[in-house]
Amino acid sequence: MFKGVTEVSNAESNTREDVENVTNELTYAEPLTPEQIRWFYRDGVDKRWVEFCGYDSLRIENAWQNHQNLLSRKDDTTNNSSPVEKIVVKGGMYDVELDKLKCVSIYCPGEEWEIMRGTWYYDGSWLPLELEQSKVIEEVHLNLFQKQSSGQSTSKCDTPSYTYKVLHTEHFPEFHVDWHSINDVVLYSEYRHSKLMRSVTSKLGFAKTTGYQLRRGYKVPAVMEDKPNDIDHIIFVVHGIGQKRDTGKIIRNTTLFRDCVDWLKQKYFPNSNYRVEFFPVEWRSSLKLDGGIVEAITPFSVVSIRHLLNTSAMDILYYTSPLYGGEVRAGLQKELNRLYFMFASRHPGWKGKVSILAHSLGCVIVYDIVTGWMGPDTRPPSPETQEVLKQRLQFPIENLFCLGSPLSVFLALRTPSPSNKTDVMPQGLCKRFYNIFHWSDPVAYRMEPLLERGYSKIEPVLIPPYGGDDGHQTEQSPSTMNNADQNFSPAENDERDENSVDISNRTTDKGWSLWGLVRAGWNVKEGVPTPLQPGQELAQRLDYVLRASLGRNYLYTLAAHTTYWSNYDVAYFVLTRLFPTLET
């Protein structure tokens, strides 16, 4: 809390007289209107203030003023803790709680942002000053320049440069603010460097020393017409391992990806009315599973590493366990259905589409839920778990985007080879399946060779740079992918890599091996690949690979597995698959 300390060189009456003597044209300061005030929220990733749209800001401001009026009418002896109504903002995704100055996610418990009422701003950046600072500055400003009810008036004019008077100074702990005229208010930092610069410029004869020009009222008036479009598509974002160690991680990753999509939409498709919303799905923290047995049997040696393994890699063992796999699937399925029904209840009659964006182990769990795979569970499920797993998902899936997915390995270990091309993901369960991975990701595996072994010699579809050529991407067809030498191959960058492995003597078309799944299409050195025979081509490509911007040195492997969330190529790819007409 900042408390202004007033410093006036002369008596208050003299200051008022100085203001009145500055006469060119009369302009008075009036209290800011709701349209001039803008409310902001500070997101949880880069901690920057972002303005609410005009529709949200006006509704928040009106509720704020009503609440302030209510408080001012109450006696001091009256309990002022009456509840404040929640304002639904950001197109129905968040609630604003004015009494706590928070913006809280409706669908994701734990996701909340600070909010702030902006009245005074730094010129240029238009970042708002903190609430208590702005409150003091606004009070002083109105005291100096508001028209007096007695008939007195204050006037405004830019003073001549040779006098450049300071009409008033207000001190704060880390800066002070000088008023030179109604439209000339400057903030000066109290740090030593800033004081030195002001001293130098003063000695050099500059009338106006260095400082930050302040602006009153936001640069763009808030209007009710400035509001989000209706939601066309919702995406449930599902995490993989490690969430037990950091329950807020999926929220931060979803925010990162959402910001990438929003930026791309504004840059490349500013006139589009399509709207997509992302829902982080945190399924791990609600699961008890072993009841603490693993923690109890963990030795105290190398505690930090043991804890890391118990809260991350252990999730894979839990899911492959015949005791706990069903509970994991039921936990994720229950959360997905809960979020969907909660959204549907707030948007009655909604006719949009639903897709899922899953990462790592999350891809495997989502796949098993969609296809109804029960697994070799040896323990009878609890009644609650059994009830959840008969219900299945209560909504159709348009697209399943898998990021850094080990799904094909799980499938290869369950069955030697699918009997036909539709066994992996029938279109009746999910219209499109995308297996997206980075070359350096040690967890990601290809899907296409699982269906047709001939695809082990065909490169995955390269995801072009976001925006593509002149803002357009083109998806390569299987016929143009037959010759790997004609397409991008990271193997070309790694032939001299001391860590590379020579697989020239390994055969990928005989037998079925995990090695073929892992390295298929990476270091193929067997000459011209055999073209696919008629009937072998897949109806749709499944494997999509990112540019090898990180290289394939093993030092990059961990970064590659988590780089998808902030990758603009992935975000552009997902956005244009959700709304294919954007590129036409």
Side-chain angles (χ1 to χ4, degrees), residues 244 288-297 318:
K244 183 180 178 182
K288 304 303 180 184
L289 299 178
D290 62 19
I293 296 177
V294 171
E295 292 293 337
I297 64 176
Y318 282 133

Short mmCIF file of all heavy atoms in Angstrom, two decimals, residues 244 288-297 318:
data_model
loop_
_atom_site.label_atom_id
_atom_site.label_comp_id
_atom_site.label_asym_id
_atom_site.label_seq_id
_atom_site.Cartn_x
_atom_site.Cartn_y
_atom_site.Cartn_z
N LYS A 244 2.21 -35.17 -10.62
CA LYS A 244 2.10 -35.30 -9.17
C LYS A 244 3.09 -34.40 -8.46
O LYS A 244 2.84 -33.89 -7.38
CB LYS A 244 2.33 -36.76 -8.76
CG LYS A 244 2.16 -37.01 -7.27
CD LYS A 244 2.40 -38.47 -6.93
CE LYS A 244 2.28 -38.71 -5.43
NZ LYS A 244 2.55 -40.11 -5.07
N LYS A 288 -5.10 -41.85 -5.65
CA LYS A 288 -4.32 -42.29 -4.49
C LYS A 288 -3.46 -43.50 -4.83
O LYS A 288 -2.36 -43.66 -4.34
CB LYS A 288 -5.27 -42.64 -3.33
CG LYS A 288 -6.20 -41.48 -2.95
CD LYS A 288 -5.42 -40.24 -2.57
CE LYS A 288 -6.38 -39.10 -2.20
NZ LYS A 288 -5.65 -37.84 -1.93
N LEU A 289 -4.00 -44.40 -5.64
CA LEU A 289 -3.29 -45.57 -6.15
C LEU A 289 -2.74 -46.44 -5.03
O LEU A 289 -3.49 -47.11 -4.34
CB LEU A 289 -2.21 -45.14 -7.15
CG LEU A 289 -2.74 -44.40 -8.39
CD1 LEU A 289 -1.61 -43.96 -9.30
CD2 LEU A 289 -3.74 -45.23 -9.14
N ASP A 290 -1.42 -46.43 -4.77
CA ASP A 290 -0.83 -47.42 -3.86
C ASP A 290 -0.99 -47.09 -2.39
O ASP A 290 -0.53 -47.84 -1.52
CB ASP A 290 0.65 -47.62 -4.18
CG ASP A 290 1.46 -46.34 -4.00
OD1 ASP A 290 0.98 -45.43 -3.30
OD2 ASP A 290 2.56 -46.25 -4.55
N GLY A 291 -1.60 -45.96 -2.08
CA GLY A 291 -1.79 -45.61 -0.68
C GLY A 291 -0.52 -45.28 0.06
O GLY A 291 -0.46 -45.37 1.29
N GLY A 292 0.53 -44.90 -0.66
CA GLY A 292 1.79 -44.50 -0.01
C GLY A 292 2.79 -45.62 0.17
O GLY A 292 3.83 -45.42 0.81
N ILE A 293 2.52 -46.80 -0.39
CA ILE A 293 3.44 -47.93 -0.21
C ILE A 293 4.79 -47.65 -0.86
O ILE A 293 5.84 -47.94 -0.28
CB ILE A 293 2.81 -49.21 -0.79
CG1 ILE A 293 1.55 -49.59 -0.01
CG2 ILE A 293 3.81 -50.36 -0.78
CD1 ILE A 293 0.82 -50.79 -0.57
N VAL A 294 4.77 -47.09 -2.07
CA VAL A 294 6.04 -46.84 -2.77
C VAL A 294 6.91 -45.87 -1.98
O VAL A 294 8.13 -46.05 -1.87
CB VAL A 294 5.76 -46.30 -4.20
CG1 VAL A 294 7.05 -45.82 -4.86
CG2 VAL A 294 5.12 -47.39 -5.05
N GLU A 295 6.29 -44.84 -1.43
CA GLU A 295 7.06 -43.89 -0.62
C GLU A 295 7.65 -44.59 0.61
O GLU A 295 8.78 -44.32 1.02
CB GLU A 295 6.17 -42.73 -0.18
CG GLU A 295 5.72 -41.81 -1.30
CD GLU A 295 6.86 -41.02 -1.91
OE1 GLU A 295 7.89 -40.84 -1.22
OE2 GLU A 295 6.74 -40.60 -3.08
N ALA A 296 6.89 -45.52 1.18
CA ALA A 296 7.35 -46.20 2.39
C ALA A 296 8.54 -47.10 2.12
O ALA A 296 9.42 -47.25 2.99
CB ALA A 296 6.20 -47.01 3.00
N ILE A 297 8.60 -47.71 0.94
CA ILE A 297 9.70 -48.63 0.65
C ILE A 297 10.88 -47.94 -0.02
O ILE A 297 11.87 -48.59 -0.36
CB ILE A 297 9.20 -49.79 -0.24
CG1 ILE A 297 8.74 -49.26 -1.61
CG2 ILE A 297 8.09 -50.57 0.45
CD1 ILE A 297 8.32 -50.35 -2.57
N TYR A 318 2.68 -47.42 -12.78
CA TYR A 318 1.31 -47.50 -12.30
C TYR A 318 0.36 -47.87 -13.43
O TYR A 318 -0.55 -48.70 -13.26
CB TYR A 318 0.87 -46.16 -11.70
CG TYR A 318 1.40 -45.88 -10.31
CD1 TYR A 318 1.97 -44.66 -9.99
CD2 TYR A 318 1.30 -46.84 -9.31
CE1 TYR A 318 2.44 -44.40 -8.71
CE2 TYR A 318 1.77 -46.59 -8.03
CZ TYR A 318 2.35 -45.37 -7.74
OH TYR A 318 2.81 -45.13 -6.48
#
